Amino acid sequence: MPLPSTTTFDRLRTLVAIGDPHNRSERRIPEVFTGRELATIPVGTAEDVTAAVAKARRAQQEWAQRPIRQRAAILERFRTLVFEHGDVVLDMLQAECGKSRASAQEELLDLALNARYYAQRGPDLLAPERVSAPLPGVIKTVVRYQPKGVVGIIAPWNYPIALSVSDALPALLAGNGVIVKPDSQTPYSTLAAVELLYRAGIPRELLAVVPGPGAVVGSALIEQCDYLMFTGSSATGRLLAEQCARRLIGCSAELGGKNPMIVTAGADLDIVAKAALRACFSNAGQLCMAIERIYVEQSIAARFLELFGRYARGMVLGTAYDFTVDMGSLMSEEQLKTVSRHVDDAKAKGATVIAGGNPRPDIGPLFYEPTVLTGVTDDMDCARNETFGPVVSVYPVRDVAEAVARANDSEFGLNASVWAASAAEGEAIAARIRCGTVNVGEGYGPAYATIGAPMGGMGSSGLGRRHGPDGLLKYTEPQTISTSRTIVADARFGVPEHIWRRALAPMVQFVQRIPGF
């Protein structure tokens, strides 16, 4: 079993941005599949955050002066290194997170896609932009984009690379320093990707990783950074947004989801049932964009449940560090308890288990079967609350109108999936759903992997967007510079002041009639 070596952990440990690692508390990092110890990590303090932010501020001044093309070239080198060292990164992700290799590979590809998009498109997006002025030829107006300064990133455990380093790439390209607080359970995966960024040419003091508890390290980071990127629960996101608001700094947050799928009578059910396995059970369902609710038209519900249940029961669970496993482990005892509680509550209140419904300690301490439920009602814990595990509820509905109404009947609005007889029908349904991303003919992958398009949530699913131009420009302060060749507000050419002022409105009206202005 190709576990990361002790040498790998020792090397990555040196990248932690804290003071003297001796005589301080440490956290044990287990291999999730077995629970055995992999390594320990020093626990950061508020003082460590202060030191890291101070270094990043100094480094950021020089970094922001570098030509944007030079910064973009580092992202391109990073992308190359990601593929060269992909096996080590995948091993680390599997060991720390309990992912299947296929789910771990999603993170590797996410790094590469983000690096390529922002390296190629970033220079143009950040270039000074000349905009139309009220009196062309008299006033020239240019919008420039200045970096925020130091960006704080508080990352979750479920995608410790994609939701930390991928978010850091556009922030760095925009000219910022970055401090990352990884989740305490998964620091080494983040450090592995950061090491590749250092090798690619990112200055060591510009980008720092400070592991530690959110109440200490996270709070200190929010009190000192100039912008915050957070991925996590909606409850925590609300608290962090309040902290940012008190300091009048911006924040972006991708939060929870209770994501719906709609299946119409015209869909190919065999294709849908197989694709739904990925949509619901990737990363053991520990994915903000995973599907937890499926609305199927009544006429096809029985057939869909038959197929979907059979395919779910046939999924291969395991601990292999290769691509032979369909689904890996849950991340923690806490997640296992939540999943078990939701399923047990549903069964006790009358739900029917079509597939799964049981923990699998025979495979590993935190494994749980991919579970398909029907007959779920609103009084059950899993009906409206995010399970964040391999549990999905299937609901027969009368028609598409009911499916859309029930899909929208949620405080969340992160992701949705639509399967219909044609792409046109699916797109028409998608436009009626209140979600930040909707995938027609897939679960979550295409919308998320389209880095040129914004990704984020509505309602309790978040603030702001990652990806696309928004995912870069949010890390900047737009600055408008207007240059006047003459003072338009003052009378000119000997014209009396009152006549000149009266003439200003007709002058502007005339200019607005010119094509292109």
Side-chain angles (χ1 to χ4, degrees):
M1 186 179 296
L3 279 169
S5 68
T6 301
T7 302
T8 299
F9 285 106
D10 289 342
R11 185 185 71 247
L12 294 174
R13 184 186 175 96
T14 66
L15 305 180
V16 176
I18 62 174
D20 184 359
H22 303 292
N23 301 318
R24 67 160 67 225
S25 61
E26 295 192 335
R27 182 183 176 94
R28 172 180 173 271
I29 305 299
E31 182 198 22
V32 173
F33 290 139
T34 63
R36 66 188 179 188
E37 184 173 305
L38 290 171
T40 59
I41 195 80
V43 177
T45 64
E47 291 74 21
D48 295 322
V49 174
T50 299
V53 170
K55 291 177 182 178
R57 287 203 187 283
R58 290 193 294 270
Q60 186 268 333
Q61 298 299 313
E62 184 276 331
W63 175 251
Q65 298 306 311
R66 289 201 196 184
I68 181 64
R69 298 286 176 185
Q70 287 185 16
R71 303 200 296 261
I74 292 176
L75 266 61
E76 283 285 12
R77 288 197 293 273
F78 170 71
R79 184 182 67 87
T80 299
L81 290 170
V82 165
F83 286 118
E84 289 179 359
H85 299 274
D87 284 341
V88 174
V89 175
L90 292 179
D91 290 345
M92 186 69 73
L93 284 165
Q94 286 199 264
E96 271 199 319
C97 305
K99 295 173 181 280
S100 70
R101 199 128 183 119
S103 291
Q105 185 170 251
E106 290 182 348
E107 294 208 60
L108 194 77
L109 296 175
D110 185 75
L111 287 178
L113 289 168
N114 274 275
R116 170 53 66 89
Y117 173 79
Y118 286 114
Q120 291 190 335
R121 291 282 292 118
D124 290 337
L125 292 170
L126 293 171
E129 177 186 5
R130 187 164 179 172
V131 298
S132 297
L135 292 174
V138 178
I139 299 173
K140 179 182 75 172
T141 300
V142 175
V143 178
R144 304 181 67 88
Y145 297 96
Q146 297 189 2
K148 292 278 189 181
V150 175
V151 171
I153 296 177
I154 299 179
W157 49 261
N158 61 322
Y159 282 80
I161 289 179
L163 302 179
S164 63
V165 176
S166 286
D167 285 330
L169 295 177
L172 291 165
L173 184 70
N176 297 284
V178 174
I179 309 296
V180 178
K181 192 209 89 64
D183 189 272
S184 296
Q185 301 171 93
T186 54
Y188 282 106
S189 294
T190 302
L191 286 165
V194 167
E195 181 187 38
L196 298 182
L197 273 171
Y198 291 150
R199 292 189 193 183
I202 292 294
R204 177 73 176 263
E205 294 188 338
L206 184 73
L207 169 63
V209 178
V210 185
V216 177
V217 173
S219 294
L221 185 55
I222 295 171
E223 289 302 316
Q224 298 177 66
C225 70
D226 302 304
Y227 188 89
L228 179 70
M229 177 68 215
F230 169 74
T231 306
S233 72
S234 298
T236 302
R238 287 187 177 94
L239 294 175
L240 300 190
E242 290 176 5
Q243 291 178 265
C244 290
R246 285 195 292 270
R247 291 192 57 226
L248 296 180
I249 64 169
C251 68
S252 182
E254 186 215 304
L255 306 176
K258 190 70 177 176
N259 306 303
M261 174 185 287
I262 293 176
V263 185
T264 76
D268 186 321
L269 295 186
D270 191 61
I271 292 176
V272 178
K274 289 177 181 176
L277 299 180
R278 294 191 303 275
C280 302
F281 305 128
S282 288
N283 200 32
Q286 299 167 119
L287 170 63
C288 292
M289 302 182 76
I291 297 300
E292 293 196 12
R293 302 178 285 149
I294 302 179
Y295 299 103
V296 189
E297 284 198 89
Q298 183 74 55
S299 61
I300 58 168
R303 178 59 177 162
F304 174 79
L305 277 169
E306 177 192 349
L307 290 170
F308 187 37
R310 184 201 313 163
Y311 293 144
R313 290 188 292 272
M315 291 183 71
V316 177
L317 280 63
T319 64
Y321 283 74
D322 57 34
F323 289 97
T324 61
V325 168
D326 296 322
M327 195 181 89
S329 173
L330 290 168
M331 176 64 199
S332 66
E333 185 68 31
E334 180 182 0
Q335 290 305 116
L336 180 62
K337 288 179 179 177
T338 298
V339 171
S340 296
R341 185 178 69 252
H342 278 201
V343 174
D344 291 347
D345 173 78
K347 289 192 290 188
K349 293 175 180 175
T352 300
V353 178
I354 302 299
N358 299 293
R360 292 295 302 274
D362 55 309
I363 303 174
L366 302 176
F367 277 82
Y368 199 95
E369 293 173 335
T371 299
V372 181
L373 303 175
T374 190
V376 172
T377 54
D378 274 353
D379 63 326
M380 300 177 186
D381 290 342
C382 67
R384 290 184 172 273
N385 300 312
E386 185 179 29
T387 302
F388 215 65
V391 179
V392 59
S393 304
V394 179
Y395 303 88
V397 293
R398 293 185 304 275
D399 51 28
V400 170
E402 183 185 354
V404 171
R406 295 185 68 175
N408 287 336
D409 184 19
S410 172
E411 67 174 293
F412 299 106
L414 187 59
N415 178 56
S417 172
V418 177
W419 297 83
S422 67
E425 181 188 358
E427 289 167 3
I429 295 170
R432 298 162 61 187
I433 300 175
R434 292 283 297 171
C435 281
T437 58
V438 184
N439 292 266
V440 176
E442 249 300 351
Y444 65 86
Y448 192 89
T450 305
I451 307 298
M455 181 270 153
M458 300 180 185
S460 294
S461 289
L463 298 169
R465 295 293 184 267
R466 59 164 55 93
H467 296 171
D470 291 356
L472 173 65
L473 297 181
K474 71 183 182 184
Y475 294 124
T476 68
E477 293 285 5
Q479 179 190 47
T480 299
I481 300 177
S482 283
T483 303
S484 300
R485 301 183 190 280
T486 184
I487 300 177
V488 180
D490 293 343
R492 308 290 293 176
F493 315 115
V495 177
E497 191 75 26
H498 69 284
I499 295 177
W500 180 262
R501 290 179 179 175
R502 186 182 301 163
L504 280 178
M507 288 168 57
V508 171
Q509 185 180 26
F510 172 76
V511 170
Q512 290 178 337
R513 290 173 178 164
I514 301 174
F517 293 100

